[in-house]
Amino acid sequence: AIVQDFARGQHMEMICKRVAKTLETAWGYQVDYTKPDFKEMVKDAVLTCVTTGVAYCRLHYVREEPPLTSNEKPLEQVDRAKAAMHDMAHVEDDKLQPHNPQMEQMRTTVQTMLQPVGPEETSQVKERIEFDFPPPFSVIPDPRCRSLKEFINARWVVQEYLLPIDDANAFFGLTGTEDEIKPGVGGAKTYEPDGEEEKPGGSPSATQDPQKKLVCLWEVFDAQTKTSFVLCDGHKKYVRPPAPPFPSVSGFFPIYALTFNKHVADEKAKVSIYPQSDVQLIRDAQKEWNRTRDALRGQRNANAPRYLYREGTISEEDVEKIINCEPNEAVALKSIPPEMKLSEAIVALQVKDIDEKLYDTTPLEHDIQLSAGQQQANLGPAQSHVTATVGAIAEQSRASTVTMNIDDLDGWLRRMAEGGGEMMLQAFQEPNIKQIVGQGAVWPQMDRQPFLDRLFLSIKAASSGKPNKAVKVANAQQLSPIMLSAGANPVAVIEYLVTAMDDNIDPQKFFPLPGQSLMVLTGPQPAPQQAGPRNLPNGAQPPSGPRRPNNRPAQGTTLQPQAAPSAPGPTPA
Protein backbone atom coordinates (compact mmCIF):
# COMPACT_ATOMS: atom_id res chain seq x y z
CA ALA A 1 0.00 0.00 0.00
CA ILE A 2 2.88 2.34 0.77
CA VAL A 3 4.49 1.60 -2.59
CA GLN A 4 1.21 2.14 -4.43
CA ASP A 5 0.60 5.42 -2.61
CA PHE A 6 4.11 6.58 -3.50
CA ALA A 7 3.58 5.58 -7.16
CA ARG A 8 0.31 7.54 -7.30
CA GLY A 9 2.05 10.59 -5.87
CA GLN A 10 4.86 10.33 -8.40
CA HIS A 11 2.34 9.96 -11.24
CA MET A 12 0.39 13.03 -10.08
CA GLU A 13 3.59 15.05 -9.80
CA MET A 14 4.57 14.09 -13.34
CA ILE A 15 1.14 15.13 -14.65
CA CYS A 16 1.34 18.45 -12.80
CA LYS A 17 4.75 19.17 -14.31
CA ARG A 18 3.49 18.49 -17.83
CA VAL A 19 0.36 20.60 -17.26
CA ALA A 20 2.56 23.39 -15.86
CA LYS A 21 4.80 23.26 -18.94
CA THR A 22 1.73 23.39 -21.18
CA LEU A 23 0.33 26.32 -19.21
CA GLU A 24 3.63 28.18 -19.45
CA THR A 25 3.83 27.70 -23.22
CA ALA A 26 0.19 28.71 -23.75
CA TRP A 27 0.65 31.88 -21.67
CA GLY A 28 3.74 32.77 -23.68
CA TYR A 29 1.64 32.46 -26.82
CA GLN A 30 -1.00 34.81 -25.38
CA VAL A 31 1.64 37.42 -24.56
CA ASP A 32 3.64 37.16 -27.80
CA TYR A 33 0.77 37.17 -30.30
CA THR A 34 -1.66 39.64 -28.77
CA LYS A 35 -2.75 42.77 -30.63
CA PRO A 36 -1.82 45.53 -29.84
CA ASP A 37 1.68 44.37 -29.00
CA PHE A 38 1.94 43.46 -25.30
CA LYS A 39 5.47 44.81 -24.84
CA GLU A 40 4.64 48.18 -26.36
CA MET A 41 1.48 48.49 -24.29
CA VAL A 42 3.40 47.70 -21.09
CA LYS A 43 5.97 50.37 -21.96
CA ASP A 44 3.13 52.87 -22.47
CA ALA A 45 1.65 51.80 -19.14
CA VAL A 46 4.97 52.45 -17.38
CA LEU A 47 5.11 55.92 -18.92
CA THR A 48 1.51 56.52 -17.85
CA CYS A 49 2.36 55.44 -14.32
CA VAL A 50 5.33 57.83 -14.17
CA THR A 51 3.29 60.80 -15.40
CA THR A 52 -0.07 60.17 -13.70
CA GLY A 53 0.83 57.96 -10.73
CA VAL A 54 -1.09 54.80 -11.68
CA ALA A 55 -1.67 52.49 -14.66
CA TYR A 56 -4.08 49.56 -15.03
CA CYS A 57 -4.34 46.32 -16.99
CA ARG A 58 -7.59 44.38 -17.35
CA LEU A 59 -7.67 40.71 -18.36
CA HIS A 60 -10.50 39.48 -20.59
CA TYR A 61 -11.25 35.86 -21.42
CA VAL A 62 -12.42 35.64 -25.04
CA ARG A 63 -13.98 32.57 -26.59
CA GLU A 64 -16.20 33.75 -29.43
CA GLU A 65 -17.63 37.21 -28.68
CA PRO A 66 -15.14 40.10 -28.33
CA PRO A 67 -15.25 41.77 -24.90
CA LEU A 68 -16.07 45.35 -24.02
CA THR A 69 -12.72 47.16 -23.84
CA SER A 70 -11.49 50.72 -23.64
CA ASN A 71 -9.59 50.37 -26.94
CA GLU A 72 -11.58 50.74 -30.14
CA LYS A 73 -10.46 48.02 -32.55
CA PRO A 74 -11.61 46.95 -36.01
CA LEU A 75 -14.96 45.20 -35.77
CA GLU A 76 -14.81 41.43 -35.96
CA GLN A 77 -17.43 39.22 -37.55
CA VAL A 78 -19.45 38.92 -34.35
CA ASP A 79 -19.50 42.70 -33.91
CA ARG A 80 -20.71 43.22 -37.48
CA ALA A 81 -23.44 40.64 -36.97
CA LYS A 82 -24.65 42.43 -33.82
CA ALA A 83 -24.69 45.77 -35.64
CA ALA A 84 -26.65 44.30 -38.55
CA MET A 85 -29.22 42.71 -36.23
CA HIS A 86 -29.64 46.00 -34.40
CA ASP A 87 -30.24 47.87 -37.67
CA MET A 88 -32.70 45.21 -38.85
CA ALA A 89 -34.68 45.64 -35.63
CA HIS A 90 -34.92 49.37 -36.42
CA VAL A 91 -36.10 48.54 -39.95
CA GLU A 92 -38.86 46.35 -38.55
CA ASP A 93 -39.92 49.19 -36.25
CA ASP A 94 -40.00 51.63 -39.21
CA LYS A 95 -37.28 53.76 -37.61
CA LEU A 96 -35.04 53.54 -40.69
CA GLN A 97 -36.26 54.84 -44.04
CA PRO A 98 -34.98 53.44 -47.35
CA HIS A 99 -33.01 56.62 -48.08
CA ASN A 100 -31.28 56.57 -44.70
CA PRO A 101 -27.47 56.13 -44.99
CA GLN A 102 -27.64 53.57 -42.20
CA MET A 103 -29.57 51.26 -44.55
CA GLU A 104 -26.65 51.19 -47.00
CA GLN A 105 -24.25 50.54 -44.14
CA MET A 106 -26.40 47.59 -43.04
CA ARG A 107 -26.37 46.11 -46.56
CA THR A 108 -22.59 46.40 -46.75
CA THR A 109 -22.22 44.81 -43.32
CA VAL A 110 -24.38 41.83 -44.28
CA GLN A 111 -22.35 41.28 -47.47
CA THR A 112 -19.01 41.27 -45.63
CA MET A 113 -20.24 38.95 -42.87
CA LEU A 114 -19.85 35.97 -45.18
CA GLN A 115 -16.26 36.85 -46.09
CA PRO A 116 -13.64 36.84 -43.32
CA VAL A 117 -11.52 39.97 -43.64
CA GLY A 118 -8.98 39.49 -40.82
CA PRO A 119 -6.58 36.87 -39.47
CA GLU A 120 -8.49 36.75 -36.19
CA GLU A 121 -11.60 35.63 -38.10
CA THR A 122 -9.85 32.84 -40.03
CA SER A 123 -7.79 31.61 -37.08
CA GLN A 124 -8.79 28.25 -35.61
CA VAL A 125 -7.77 29.35 -32.10
CA LYS A 126 -11.11 30.44 -30.66
CA GLU A 127 -9.93 31.11 -27.11
CA ARG A 128 -7.52 33.78 -25.97
CA ILE A 129 -6.63 36.15 -23.16
CA GLU A 130 -7.02 39.78 -24.19
CA PHE A 131 -5.16 42.58 -22.39
CA ASP A 132 -6.88 45.92 -21.95
CA PHE A 133 -4.98 48.97 -20.65
CA PRO A 134 -7.72 51.44 -19.68
CA PRO A 135 -7.08 55.15 -19.02
CA PRO A 136 -5.78 55.75 -15.48
CA PHE A 137 -8.89 57.47 -14.15
CA SER A 138 -11.51 55.30 -15.87
CA VAL A 139 -11.17 52.78 -13.00
CA ILE A 140 -13.16 53.95 -9.96
CA PRO A 141 -12.41 52.07 -6.72
CA ASP A 142 -14.52 51.99 -3.59
CA PRO A 143 -13.80 55.01 -1.30
CA ARG A 144 -13.06 52.48 1.44
CA CYS A 145 -10.11 51.16 -0.58
CA ARG A 146 -6.78 51.77 1.16
CA SER A 147 -4.37 50.63 -1.56
CA LEU A 148 -4.69 50.34 -5.34
CA LYS A 149 -2.50 47.24 -5.35
CA GLU A 150 -4.91 44.30 -4.93
CA PHE A 151 -7.65 46.89 -4.07
CA ILE A 152 -7.29 46.30 -0.35
CA ASN A 153 -10.51 46.88 1.67
CA ALA A 154 -12.57 47.66 -1.47
CA ARG A 155 -16.05 46.17 -1.76
CA TRP A 156 -16.54 47.16 -5.38
CA VAL A 157 -14.54 48.47 -8.34
CA VAL A 158 -16.04 50.16 -11.40
CA GLN A 159 -14.64 50.57 -14.91
CA GLU A 160 -16.06 53.42 -16.98
CA TYR A 161 -16.67 53.45 -20.75
CA LEU A 162 -17.86 56.15 -23.16
CA LEU A 163 -19.63 54.63 -26.18
CA PRO A 164 -22.01 55.87 -28.89
CA ILE A 165 -25.60 54.91 -28.18
CA ASP A 166 -25.88 52.76 -31.30
CA ASP A 167 -22.71 50.82 -30.44
CA ALA A 168 -23.87 50.24 -26.86
CA ASN A 169 -27.29 48.96 -27.94
CA ALA A 170 -25.78 46.73 -30.64
CA PHE A 171 -23.07 45.28 -28.38
CA PHE A 172 -25.46 44.30 -25.58
CA GLY A 173 -28.33 43.41 -27.93
CA LEU A 174 -30.74 45.95 -26.44
CA THR A 175 -33.95 46.19 -28.45
CA GLY A 176 -37.47 47.19 -27.57
CA THR A 177 -38.97 50.23 -25.97
CA GLU A 178 -37.93 49.51 -22.38
CA ASP A 179 -34.53 47.85 -22.80
CA GLU A 180 -32.99 50.08 -25.47
CA ILE A 181 -30.84 53.01 -24.34
CA LYS A 182 -32.38 56.31 -25.49
CA PRO A 183 -31.09 59.85 -25.01
CA GLY A 184 -33.15 62.84 -24.00
CA VAL A 185 -35.41 63.81 -21.13
CA GLY A 186 -35.99 60.83 -18.86
CA GLY A 187 -33.40 58.80 -20.74
CA ALA A 188 -29.66 58.29 -20.67
CA LYS A 189 -27.36 61.25 -20.13
CA THR A 190 -25.14 62.16 -23.06
CA TYR A 191 -21.48 63.16 -22.83
CA GLU A 192 -18.93 65.14 -24.80
CA PRO A 193 -15.88 63.34 -26.31
CA ASP A 194 -13.70 64.80 -23.53
CA GLY A 195 -15.84 63.07 -20.89
CA GLU A 196 -17.82 66.10 -19.71
CA GLU A 197 -21.57 65.75 -19.42
CA GLU A 198 -23.38 67.48 -22.28
CA LYS A 199 -25.25 70.56 -21.15
CA PRO A 200 -28.87 71.26 -22.17
CA GLY A 201 -28.99 72.86 -25.58
CA GLY A 202 -25.88 71.08 -26.82
CA SER A 203 -22.62 72.61 -27.97
CA PRO A 204 -21.08 73.27 -31.40
CA SER A 205 -18.87 70.18 -31.02
CA ALA A 206 -21.74 67.86 -30.12
CA THR A 207 -22.86 65.36 -32.74
CA GLN A 208 -26.19 66.25 -34.30
CA ASP A 209 -27.33 62.62 -34.73
CA PRO A 210 -28.88 61.56 -31.39
CA GLN A 211 -27.91 57.93 -31.97
CA LYS A 212 -24.23 58.88 -32.30
CA LYS A 213 -24.01 60.73 -29.01
CA LEU A 214 -21.90 59.22 -26.26
CA VAL A 215 -23.30 57.59 -23.14
CA CYS A 216 -21.48 56.57 -19.98
CA LEU A 217 -21.43 52.86 -19.11
CA TRP A 218 -20.23 51.49 -15.77
CA GLU A 219 -19.09 47.88 -15.42
CA VAL A 220 -19.37 47.09 -11.72
CA PHE A 221 -17.50 44.29 -9.91
CA ASP A 222 -19.26 43.69 -6.59
CA ALA A 223 -17.08 41.70 -4.21
CA GLN A 224 -19.90 41.21 -1.68
CA THR A 225 -22.24 39.39 -4.06
CA LYS A 226 -19.40 38.06 -6.29
CA THR A 227 -21.19 39.34 -9.38
CA SER A 228 -20.55 41.82 -12.17
CA PHE A 229 -23.09 43.92 -14.08
CA VAL A 230 -23.25 46.92 -16.42
CA LEU A 231 -25.19 50.16 -15.85
CA CYS A 232 -25.78 53.23 -18.01
CA ASP A 233 -25.91 56.70 -16.53
CA GLY A 234 -29.57 57.78 -16.70
CA HIS A 235 -30.88 54.44 -17.96
CA LYS A 236 -33.39 52.87 -15.58
CA LYS A 237 -32.67 49.19 -16.28
CA TYR A 238 -29.62 46.95 -16.24
CA VAL A 239 -27.62 47.03 -19.46
CA ARG A 240 -26.30 43.61 -18.44
CA PRO A 241 -27.88 41.93 -15.40
CA PRO A 242 -25.75 40.70 -12.47
CA ALA A 243 -24.01 37.37 -13.02
CA PRO A 244 -20.92 35.66 -11.55
CA PRO A 245 -17.88 36.41 -13.73
CA PHE A 246 -16.37 33.42 -15.51
CA PRO A 247 -13.58 32.62 -15.34
CA SER A 248 -12.81 34.15 -11.98
CA VAL A 249 -9.47 35.09 -10.45
CA SER A 250 -8.15 35.06 -6.91
CA GLY A 251 -8.95 38.42 -5.36
CA PHE A 252 -12.10 38.64 -7.55
CA PHE A 253 -11.06 41.86 -9.36
CA PRO A 254 -9.50 41.17 -12.81
CA ILE A 255 -7.95 44.66 -12.86
CA TYR A 256 -4.31 45.07 -11.84
CA ALA A 257 -2.78 48.41 -10.82
CA LEU A 258 0.82 49.51 -11.31
CA THR A 259 2.15 52.19 -8.92
CA PHE A 260 5.72 53.27 -8.20
CA ASN A 261 5.41 55.90 -5.46
CA LYS A 262 2.88 53.77 -3.63
CA HIS A 263 1.49 54.46 -0.16
CA VAL A 264 -1.50 53.46 1.96
CA ALA A 265 -4.42 55.89 2.06
CA ASP A 266 -5.32 57.42 5.41
CA GLU A 267 -8.54 59.41 5.86
CA LYS A 268 -7.40 61.11 9.08
CA ALA A 269 -4.11 62.25 7.54
CA LYS A 270 -5.94 63.16 4.30
CA VAL A 271 -3.66 60.97 2.21
CA SER A 272 -5.19 60.14 -1.18
CA ILE A 273 -5.38 56.62 -2.51
CA TYR A 274 -3.63 57.80 -5.68
CA PRO A 275 0.14 58.17 -5.22
CA GLN A 276 1.93 61.23 -6.51
CA SER A 277 3.65 60.83 -9.86
CA ASP A 278 7.15 62.02 -10.68
CA VAL A 279 5.59 64.94 -12.56
CA GLN A 280 3.67 66.04 -9.47
CA LEU A 281 6.73 65.69 -7.26
CA ILE A 282 8.90 68.01 -9.34
CA ARG A 283 6.14 70.35 -10.57
CA ASP A 284 6.67 73.14 -7.99
CA ALA A 285 10.44 73.15 -8.40
CA GLN A 286 10.09 73.13 -12.19
CA LYS A 287 7.67 76.07 -12.12
CA GLU A 288 10.08 78.07 -9.95
CA TRP A 289 12.89 77.13 -12.35
CA ASN A 290 10.84 78.43 -15.27
CA ARG A 291 10.04 81.68 -13.45
CA THR A 292 13.74 82.18 -12.66
CA ARG A 293 14.79 81.65 -16.25
CA ASP A 294 12.00 83.89 -17.50
CA ALA A 295 13.12 86.71 -15.18
CA LEU A 296 16.70 86.28 -16.38
CA ARG A 297 15.54 86.54 -19.97
CA GLY A 298 13.58 89.70 -19.14
CA GLN A 299 16.60 91.42 -17.58
CA ARG A 300 18.84 90.26 -20.41
CA ASN A 301 16.45 91.86 -22.91
CA ALA A 302 16.30 95.00 -20.78
CA ASN A 303 20.11 95.21 -20.73
CA ALA A 304 20.39 95.21 -24.50
CA PRO A 305 22.43 98.18 -25.87
CA ARG A 306 20.37 101.43 -26.05
CA TYR A 307 21.34 104.99 -26.88
CA LEU A 308 20.09 108.39 -25.68
CA TYR A 309 20.09 111.70 -27.53
CA ARG A 310 18.63 115.09 -26.84
CA GLU A 311 15.49 115.72 -28.83
CA GLY A 312 16.14 118.10 -31.69
CA THR A 313 19.89 117.53 -31.92
CA ILE A 314 19.66 114.60 -34.37
CA SER A 315 17.33 114.36 -37.32
CA GLU A 316 15.04 111.42 -37.92
CA GLU A 317 17.13 110.44 -40.94
CA ASP A 318 20.26 110.10 -38.78
CA VAL A 319 18.31 108.05 -36.22
CA GLU A 320 17.18 105.64 -38.94
CA LYS A 321 20.78 105.30 -40.12
CA ILE A 322 21.96 104.36 -36.63
CA ILE A 323 19.14 101.84 -36.14
CA ASN A 324 19.49 100.15 -39.54
CA CYS A 325 23.25 100.22 -39.94
CA GLU A 326 25.12 97.04 -40.83
CA PRO A 327 27.93 95.61 -38.69
CA ASN A 328 31.27 97.40 -39.22
CA GLU A 329 29.52 100.14 -41.22
CA ALA A 330 30.62 103.80 -40.90
CA VAL A 331 27.55 106.01 -40.38
CA ALA A 332 27.70 109.67 -41.43
CA LEU A 333 25.46 111.97 -39.38
CA LYS A 334 24.41 115.23 -41.08
CA SER A 335 22.40 116.98 -38.39
CA ILE A 336 25.09 117.25 -35.67
CA PRO A 337 26.84 120.67 -35.65
CA PRO A 338 30.61 120.60 -36.28
CA GLU A 339 31.41 122.16 -32.92
CA MET A 340 29.44 119.45 -31.01
CA LYS A 341 31.18 116.27 -29.97
CA LEU A 342 29.50 112.96 -30.79
CA SER A 343 29.77 111.95 -27.14
CA GLU A 344 27.66 114.98 -26.25
CA ALA A 345 24.99 114.18 -28.85
CA ILE A 346 24.66 110.40 -28.37
CA VAL A 347 25.12 108.66 -25.00
CA ALA A 348 24.85 104.91 -24.29
CA LEU A 349 22.22 103.98 -21.74
CA GLN A 350 23.79 102.80 -18.49
CA VAL A 351 22.17 99.57 -17.16
CA LYS A 352 22.68 97.49 -14.03
CA ASP A 353 24.86 94.42 -14.40
CA ILE A 354 23.15 91.05 -14.13
CA ASP A 355 23.67 89.44 -10.72
CA GLU A 356 24.04 85.70 -11.35
CA LYS A 357 23.19 84.87 -7.72
CA LEU A 358 19.66 86.17 -8.22
CA TYR A 359 19.08 83.64 -11.00
CA ASP A 360 20.98 80.66 -9.59
CA THR A 361 19.02 77.43 -10.13
CA THR A 362 21.31 75.17 -8.09
CA PRO A 363 18.88 74.92 -5.11
CA LEU A 364 16.05 74.10 -7.51
CA GLU A 365 18.22 71.47 -9.16
CA HIS A 366 18.83 69.85 -5.77
CA ASP A 367 15.09 69.85 -5.05
CA ILE A 368 14.37 68.09 -8.35
CA GLN A 369 17.11 65.55 -7.69
CA LEU A 370 15.73 64.72 -4.26
CA SER A 371 12.18 64.43 -5.63
CA ALA A 372 12.99 62.35 -8.70
CA GLY A 373 15.77 60.23 -7.18
CA GLN A 374 18.42 61.48 -9.57
CA GLN A 375 21.94 62.82 -9.15
CA GLN A 376 23.76 65.75 -10.70
CA ALA A 377 25.65 63.53 -13.16
CA ASN A 378 22.34 62.25 -14.60
CA LEU A 379 21.12 65.76 -15.42
CA GLY A 380 24.24 67.31 -16.94
CA PRO A 381 28.01 67.77 -16.64
CA ALA A 382 29.34 67.39 -13.11
CA GLN A 383 30.28 70.50 -11.18
CA SER A 384 33.69 71.13 -9.67
CA HIS A 385 32.54 70.32 -6.14
CA VAL A 386 31.12 66.90 -7.18
CA THR A 387 33.76 64.26 -6.42
CA ALA A 388 33.87 60.66 -7.54
CA THR A 389 32.91 59.44 -4.05
CA VAL A 390 29.89 61.73 -3.88
CA GLY A 391 28.84 60.67 -7.37
CA ALA A 392 29.19 56.97 -6.49
CA ILE A 393 27.05 57.38 -3.36
CA ALA A 394 24.37 59.24 -5.30
CA GLU A 395 24.43 56.61 -8.05
CA GLN A 396 23.92 53.85 -5.48
CA SER A 397 20.92 55.71 -4.09
CA ARG A 398 19.49 56.16 -7.60
CA ALA A 399 20.10 52.49 -8.41
CA SER A 400 18.20 51.44 -5.29
CA THR A 401 15.23 53.58 -6.39
CA VAL A 402 15.32 52.08 -9.88
CA THR A 403 15.53 48.58 -8.39
CA MET A 404 12.40 49.26 -6.33
CA ASN A 405 10.56 50.34 -9.48
CA ILE A 406 11.72 47.19 -11.26
CA ASP A 407 10.40 45.10 -8.37
CA ASP A 408 7.06 46.91 -8.62
CA LEU A 409 6.92 46.20 -12.36
CA ASP A 410 7.81 42.52 -11.83
CA GLY A 411 5.13 42.24 -9.15
CA TRP A 412 2.56 43.76 -11.51
CA LEU A 413 3.47 41.33 -14.28
CA ARG A 414 3.45 38.44 -11.77
CA ARG A 415 -0.11 39.24 -10.63
CA MET A 416 -1.24 39.49 -14.24
CA ALA A 417 0.37 36.13 -15.09
CA GLU A 418 -1.15 34.50 -12.02
CA GLY A 419 -4.64 35.77 -12.90
CA GLY A 420 -4.26 34.79 -16.56
CA GLY A 421 -3.11 31.31 -15.58
CA GLU A 422 -6.17 30.85 -13.37
CA MET A 423 -8.44 31.94 -16.22
CA MET A 424 -6.80 29.51 -18.63
CA LEU A 425 -6.96 26.57 -16.23
CA GLN A 426 -10.67 27.18 -15.65
CA ALA A 427 -11.91 27.94 -19.15
CA PHE A 428 -9.56 26.82 -21.93
CA GLN A 429 -10.52 23.60 -23.71
CA GLU A 430 -8.06 20.86 -24.59
CA PRO A 431 -8.49 21.08 -28.43
CA ASN A 432 -7.66 24.80 -28.38
CA ILE A 433 -4.68 24.21 -26.09
CA LYS A 434 -3.31 21.55 -28.45
CA GLN A 435 -3.66 23.95 -31.38
CA ILE A 436 -1.49 26.43 -29.48
CA VAL A 437 1.04 24.14 -27.77
CA GLY A 438 1.00 20.99 -29.90
CA GLN A 439 -0.24 17.41 -29.70
CA GLY A 440 2.02 16.65 -26.74
CA ALA A 441 0.13 19.09 -24.52
CA VAL A 442 -1.40 17.79 -21.29
CA TRP A 443 -4.50 19.59 -20.00
CA PRO A 444 -7.02 18.73 -17.26
CA GLN A 445 -10.39 17.55 -18.45
CA MET A 446 -12.99 17.24 -15.70
CA ASP A 447 -11.80 18.10 -12.20
CA ARG A 448 -9.55 21.15 -12.56
CA GLN A 449 -9.61 22.34 -8.96
CA PRO A 450 -6.55 20.27 -7.86
CA PHE A 451 -4.49 21.92 -10.58
CA LEU A 452 -5.77 25.38 -9.63
CA ASP A 453 -4.63 24.70 -6.07
CA ARG A 454 -1.17 23.42 -7.04
CA LEU A 455 -0.17 25.41 -10.15
CA PHE A 456 0.33 29.12 -10.70
CA LEU A 457 2.22 31.29 -13.16
CA SER A 458 4.91 33.69 -12.02
CA ILE A 459 7.59 35.97 -13.46
CA LYS A 460 11.27 35.25 -13.09
CA ALA A 461 13.17 37.86 -11.09
CA ALA A 462 14.50 40.73 -13.23
CA SER A 463 13.14 39.13 -16.40
CA SER A 464 11.40 42.36 -17.39
CA GLY A 465 14.74 44.07 -18.14
CA LYS A 466 17.41 43.43 -20.72
CA PRO A 467 19.60 40.36 -20.02
CA ASN A 468 23.13 40.91 -18.76
CA LYS A 469 25.24 39.14 -21.38
CA ALA A 470 28.53 39.68 -19.55
CA VAL A 471 27.25 37.84 -16.48
CA LYS A 472 25.83 35.06 -18.67
CA VAL A 473 29.16 34.53 -20.46
CA ALA A 474 31.11 34.59 -17.18
CA ASN A 475 28.82 31.96 -15.66
CA ALA A 476 29.21 29.75 -18.73
CA GLN A 477 33.01 30.00 -18.60
CA GLN A 478 33.04 29.05 -14.93
CA LEU A 479 30.59 26.16 -15.23
CA SER A 480 32.06 24.53 -18.35
CA PRO A 481 35.28 23.17 -16.72
CA ILE A 482 33.27 21.83 -13.80
CA MET A 483 30.85 19.99 -16.09
CA LEU A 484 33.67 18.57 -18.24
CA SER A 485 35.57 17.33 -15.19
CA ALA A 486 32.39 15.59 -14.02
CA GLY A 487 32.12 13.68 -17.31
CA ALA A 488 29.54 15.84 -19.13
CA ASN A 489 28.95 15.50 -22.85
CA PRO A 490 31.53 17.79 -24.55
CA VAL A 491 29.18 18.52 -27.44
CA ALA A 492 26.48 19.80 -25.07
CA VAL A 493 29.02 21.90 -23.19
CA ILE A 494 30.22 23.47 -26.46
CA GLU A 495 26.63 24.26 -27.46
CA TYR A 496 26.05 25.87 -24.07
CA LEU A 497 29.17 28.03 -24.40
CA VAL A 498 28.43 29.11 -27.98
CA THR A 499 24.81 30.00 -27.13
CA ALA A 500 25.92 32.07 -24.14
CA MET A 501 28.47 34.01 -26.19
CA ASP A 502 26.52 34.49 -29.42
CA ASP A 503 22.92 33.42 -30.02
CA ASN A 504 23.28 33.87 -33.79
CA ILE A 505 25.75 30.97 -34.18
CA ASP A 506 24.37 27.47 -34.65
CA PRO A 507 26.97 25.08 -33.21
CA GLN A 508 25.36 22.08 -34.93
CA LYS A 509 26.68 23.29 -38.27
CA PHE A 510 30.25 22.70 -37.13
CA PHE A 511 29.81 19.09 -36.00
CA PRO A 512 30.15 16.09 -38.42
CA LEU A 513 27.07 14.48 -39.83
CA PRO A 514 25.81 11.25 -38.24
CA GLY A 515 27.94 8.31 -39.38
CA GLN A 516 30.99 10.41 -40.24
CA SER A 517 34.12 10.55 -38.14
CA LEU A 518 35.66 13.75 -36.93
CA MET A 519 38.76 14.51 -39.05
CA VAL A 520 41.48 16.37 -37.20
CA LEU A 521 44.13 18.02 -39.34
CA THR A 522 47.58 17.69 -37.82
CA GLY A 523 51.19 18.01 -39.03
CA PRO A 524 53.52 15.13 -40.07
CA GLN A 525 54.08 12.61 -37.33
CA PRO A 526 57.70 11.54 -36.51
CA ALA A 527 58.64 7.92 -37.20
CA PRO A 528 58.73 5.66 -34.17
CA GLN A 529 62.26 5.13 -32.81
CA GLN A 530 63.56 1.98 -31.19
CA ALA A 531 64.69 2.27 -27.68
CA GLY A 532 68.49 2.21 -27.27
CA PRO A 533 70.45 -0.16 -25.00
CA ARG A 534 70.09 0.37 -21.37
CA ASN A 535 73.02 1.03 -19.11
CA LEU A 536 74.44 -2.40 -18.35
CA PRO A 537 77.34 -3.48 -16.15
CA ASN A 538 80.85 -3.72 -17.64
CA GLY A 539 81.16 -6.60 -20.09
CA ALA A 540 77.42 -7.40 -20.11
CA GLN A 541 75.56 -7.76 -23.41
CA PRO A 542 71.90 -6.92 -24.04
CA PRO A 543 69.66 -9.93 -24.41
CA SER A 544 68.84 -10.99 -27.92
CA GLY A 545 65.27 -11.51 -29.18
CA PRO A 546 62.08 -9.60 -28.54
CA ARG A 547 61.54 -7.96 -25.20
CA ARG A 548 58.52 -8.63 -23.11
CA PRO A 549 57.27 -7.34 -19.83
CA ASN A 550 58.45 -8.96 -16.67
CA ASN A 551 56.48 -11.94 -15.46
CA ARG A 552 54.69 -12.23 -18.82
CA PRO A 553 55.17 -15.28 -21.15
CA ALA A 554 56.16 -14.92 -24.77
CA GLN A 555 53.51 -15.20 -27.44
CA GLY A 556 52.43 -18.80 -27.96
CA THR A 557 53.55 -20.05 -24.55
CA THR A 558 51.50 -21.14 -21.59
CA LEU A 559 51.98 -20.25 -18.00
CA GLN A 560 53.05 -23.25 -15.94
CA PRO A 561 52.49 -23.42 -12.21
CA GLN A 562 55.69 -23.18 -10.27
CA ALA A 563 56.66 -26.14 -8.09
CA ALA A 564 56.48 -25.65 -4.42
CA PRO A 565 59.90 -25.50 -2.72
CA SER A 566 60.86 -28.83 -1.17
CA ALA A 567 61.69 -29.20 2.44
CA PRO A 568 65.37 -29.09 3.29
CA GLY A 569 66.97 -32.53 3.65
CA PRO A 570 70.39 -34.15 3.93
CA THR A 571 72.80 -33.26 1.20
CA PRO A 572 73.95 -36.31 -0.78
CA ALA A 573 77.64 -37.13 -0.72
Side-chain angles (χ1 to χ4, degrees), residues 126 142 156 452 465 558:
K126 301 303 180 183
D142 184 0
W156 50 263
L452 284 169
T558 305

Side-chain angles (χ1 to χ4, degrees), residues 19 67 207 555:
V19 173
T207 308
Q555 188 175 2

Side-chain angles (χ1 to χ4, degrees), residues 347-421:
V347 180
L349 178 64
Q350 298 295 327
V351 295
K352 183 177 178 58
D353 294 337
I354 297 177
D355 188 1
E356 296 182 358
K357 295 182 180 180
L358 295 176
Y359 307 103
D360 185 19
T361 58
T362 302
L364 302 175
E365 182 180 344
H366 292 166
D367 295 340
I368 293 177
Q369 292 171 12
L370 293 174
S371 301
Q374 300 291 328
Q375 62 163 329
Q376 201 275 337
N378 298 122
L379 302 180
Q383 302 295 332
S384 58
H385 63 276
V386 179
T387 62
T389 303
V390 175
I393 295 175
E395 178 62 21
Q396 291 177 3
S397 176
R398 188 189 69 88
S400 62
T401 303
V402 173
T403 303
M404 291 178 60
N405 293 343
I406 293 176
D407 292 340
D408 293 334
L409 179 60
D410 289 343
W412 183 53
L413 296 174
R414 179 189 58 80
R415 294 192 299 273
M416 290 168 50
E418 185 176 352

Side-chain angles (χ1 to χ4, degrees), residues 458-478:
S458 183
I459 300 295
K460 292 183 179 180
S463 61
S464 57
K466 294 183 178 179
N468 193 337
K469 186 175 182 179
V471 175
K472 186 177 180 181
V473 172
N475 294 337
Q477 291 176 346
Q478 293 178 4

